[in-house]
Each structure stands twice: as structure tokens, then as C-alpha cells.
Amino acid sequence: METKVKTLPWRKAKPKSELKVKSSSKKKIWQNYELYLFLLPTIIYFIIFHYIPMYGILIAFQDYMPTQGVWGSPWVGFEHFIRFFNSYQFWNLLENTLELSFFQLLFGFPLPIIVALLLNQLRNQKYKKFVQTVIYAPHFISVVVLVGMVYVFFSPNGLINNFIMIFGGDPVYFMSEASWFKPLYISSGLWQETGWAAIIYLAALAGVSPEVHEAAIMDGASKMQRIRHVDIPAIMPTAMILLVLSVGNLMNIGFEKAYLMQTPLNVSAGEIIPTYVYKVGLQSAQYSFAAAVGLFNAIINFILLWAVNRAAKKLSGSGLW
């Protein structure tokens, strides 16, 4: 007689497919262990300097006192968040941060794509390299030097005001008027980063086979038609990933540049969340309150990143995860 061996419900055998997947993944890791060794320093760096310090967000829910430490300080719950939301500066900070980030993304995202598409159409290699060098160079200027140039060019006796006065106009106090802060911030950023941001799109366009363009020319396609039907689809996956990353950093607008461009007269338009965190946290020593504001900023970034990645995945099929 045949006897059936019953398997206990808590000791069910794993499916063979799952065992095969695990063994194959381990085999692949072992076969490419050199690549994983290259990744190891980066992983260790992120664990030590990014993940371990995350316990510091606990002070956002405490009345942190340096003498008592993180575990000895009293807990206050969401008191600092409520204080920030009820602050008279909350809406002004949020508006300034979102406006600068949105307009920087609105103009700063498509412009490198346009520049890359135009450069890709140049056939004179010497002229192409010259243009690339000219538009790449501003990226290597430090933020401090860039802001110094803005102050020099847009001062009452600067180059821009001299041109205005030549044509009979009155000098404009650009750095003293709040209405000029955002245009100067965005335009200077475009001048500095557009060329550098176009590199990745040029690399994507370099991967397009010349035979595709030759076939399009044989079919009578014009330059604009080749750009529309060949070049743009080739860079679309790269563009979508960069768009998701850009939106994920929407609230992390540059602190250094905004802080250096601020003056007592334009601070109403130039005060953003990162500069506010610096002033409140380091200058006023309100560590818990500053941590709460920074955590709020990070949560908004995460929500935006998740939402845009989900939308990009549905629309184009490409995303970060």
C-alpha cells in the first residue's frame, strides 16, 4: 500500500521556480562580483553619511537640547510642525520656493533639449565644438563668483544700467527690488547650466544610427520631420527619467545662490525654505523647529517624486522604478 506523507502547513516546500530564481541571482552576483565590489564603496558611503544620520529627524518631534542629546530631550510631538504651519511666513516661504522651482523647471528642462537638438544638426565640427565649449564653460563657475558677476553687471553703475542710460532710460536697482529677484535667479541659472545639461541629450542622440536618418532622407523627410520623428523619440526615455529626478528635487532649490542674492530689500521674494532652515536652525539655534521644516520639505519632495514617476510610467513606460 502506498503511504502519503503529509506536509505540515507551516513547513510547506518552496516552489521550484522560486528556488531557481534565487540560485540564478546568486550565480549572477558571483559571476559579476567585480562590479559589486566597485559598488561597495558607494553603498558604504550612503549607509554612513545618508542612512545612519536619518535618526536625527527624531529631533523634529522633540524640544531638542544639545546638553541632553537626542534620547534625553523631551518629546513634543507635532508641535513644531503646527508652529510652522501657523507661522505668518509659511505661505510666503512656500510660494517663493514653489515659484522659483516651478519656473526653473519650466524653462530649465526643455532648453537643454532644444540646444542638444540644434547642436546635433550642425555639420561643421569646428564650429560645433566651439559652441559646446562656450555653453559648457559657465557650469564651472562657482556660485559665489556667479552671484558676484550678477551684482557687478546689475548694479546701478553696472553694464546693464549703462546700456539703459545710453538709450535715455533711468537706472534700475535690480538687486534692491523684490520683483527682480526671481527673473535674475532663473535667468542666471539658465545661463550657467543649460549647456552642461545638454550633454546627456547629446550622448543619447549620438546613439541614433545614421542609417535611420539616411532612410528618412531617402523618404523625403525634412530636418524638422527628422527631429520630430527620429531624434525626439530617441531622447524621450532619458528626458522622462531626468524630468522625474527634477520634480523630485523641486523643493530642494539651491540654498547658496538664493542666500547670496538676498538683500534686506528683496528678502520678501528671495526667502525660501532652505534659507529659512539655515537662519532658524544655525543662526537662531532652533534645531528642532528647523528639523521639522526640513522634514516637511523632504516629505513634499518624496510625494512629488512618487507621483511624477507613477505618471511617467503610465504615459511613456519609463521611470525610476
Side-chain angles (χ1 to χ4, degrees):
M1 292 181 65
E2 293 182 2
T3 57
K4 292 183 179 180
V5 179
K6 292 185 177 180
T7 305
L8 295 175
W10 58 85
R11 298 182 64 183
K12 287 183 179 178
K14 292 184 178 180
K16 291 182 179 180
S17 59
E18 186 179 342
L19 293 173
K20 285 181 180 179
V21 170
K22 286 186 177 180
S23 61
S24 62
S25 61
K26 288 179 180 178
K27 189 176 180 180
K28 287 180 181 179
I29 291 172
W30 178 249
Q31 287 176 347
N32 302 288
Y33 73 94
E34 300 97 339
L35 300 177
Y36 288 94
L37 286 177
F38 276 117
L39 281 173
L40 190 60
T42 304
I43 295 171
I44 293 172
Y45 166 79
F46 273 93
I47 290 173
I48 294 174
F49 295 103
H50 290 268
Y51 285 96
I52 293 177
M54 279 187 182
Y55 84 94
I57 65 173
L58 292 175
I59 70 173
F61 306 94
Q62 296 176 327
D63 185 11
Y64 176 70
M65 299 178 185
T67 54
Q68 297 182 6
V70 175
W71 302 110
S73 300
W75 296 86
V76 295
F78 293 95
E79 180 181 325
H80 299 300
F81 294 92
I82 296 170
R83 176 188 163 195
F84 177 57
F85 297 150
N86 293 331
S87 170
Y88 73 95
Q89 292 179 296
F90 173 73
W91 290 110
N92 185 47
L93 288 170
L94 194 61
E95 180 184 352
N96 290 339
T97 305
L98 289 175
E99 277 189 14
L100 281 176
S101 302
F102 174 75
F103 285 112
Q104 192 168 352
L105 180 65
L106 180 66
F107 297 109
F109 178 72
L111 197 57
I113 298 175
I114 296 170
V115 170
L117 292 172
L118 293 175
L119 285 174
N120 191 55
Q121 295 298 317
L122 292 178
R123 294 293 171 259
N124 189 328
Q125 293 300 315
K126 289 185 178 179
Y127 180 67
K128 182 178 180 179
K129 289 180 180 178
F130 171 75
V131 173
Q132 285 177 313
T133 303
V134 170
I135 63 177
Y136 293 167
H139 172 77
F140 299 98
I141 300 174
S142 70
V143 176
V144 177
V145 175
L146 175 66
V147 175
M149 292 170 62
V150 171
Y151 272 99
V152 171
F153 290 151
F154 291 93
S155 66
N157 296 319
L159 181 65
I160 305 301
N161 272 313
N162 284 333
F163 275 112
I164 293 173
M165 288 187 288
I166 286 173
F167 292 99
D170 296 324
V172 180
Y173 295 89
F174 291 100
M175 303 307 295
S176 301
E177 295 183 11
S179 59
W180 281 103
F181 181 90
K182 291 168 186 174
L184 289 177
Y185 185 98
I186 295 165
S187 58
S188 61
L190 293 175
W191 174 76
Q192 186 179 27
E193 297 297 338
T194 296
W196 185 258
I199 292 177
I200 191 167
Y201 297 112
L202 286 170
L205 289 169
V208 179
S209 175
E211 296 175 357
V212 179
H213 282 283
E214 290 171 3
I217 293 170
M218 292 294 292
D219 290 338
S222 63
K223 280 191 175 182
M224 288 302 298
Q225 288 174 328
R226 281 186 283 135
I227 290 173
R228 180 181 175 185
H229 297 288
V230 178
D231 291 338
I232 292 179
I235 64 175
M236 191 55 66
T238 304
M240 292 306 297
I241 290 174
L242 291 176
L243 177 62
V244 172
L245 290 172
S246 299
V247 175
N249 286 318
L250 195 67
M251 300 288 285
N252 286 340
I253 194 166
F255 156 78
E256 298 91 350
K257 187 177 170 184
Y259 183 72
L260 292 170
M261 287 183 65
Q262 285 180 6
T263 64
L265 297 175
N266 67 13
V267 71
S268 60
E271 189 77 287
I272 57 176
I273 291 177
T275 58
Y276 181 72
V277 169
Y278 168 75
K279 292 176 182 178
V280 171
L282 295 181
Q283 293 184 349
S284 301
Q286 300 181 45
Y287 304 114
S288 292
F289 181 68
V293 177
L295 182 58
F296 163 77
N297 196 47
I299 291 171
I300 297 298
N301 268 332
F302 176 77
I303 294 172
L304 289 172
L305 178 65
W306 176 82
V308 174
N309 184 74
R310 187 179 177 87
K313 198 79 173 175
K314 285 186 177 180
L315 293 174
S316 66
S318 59
L320 290 179
W321 66 84

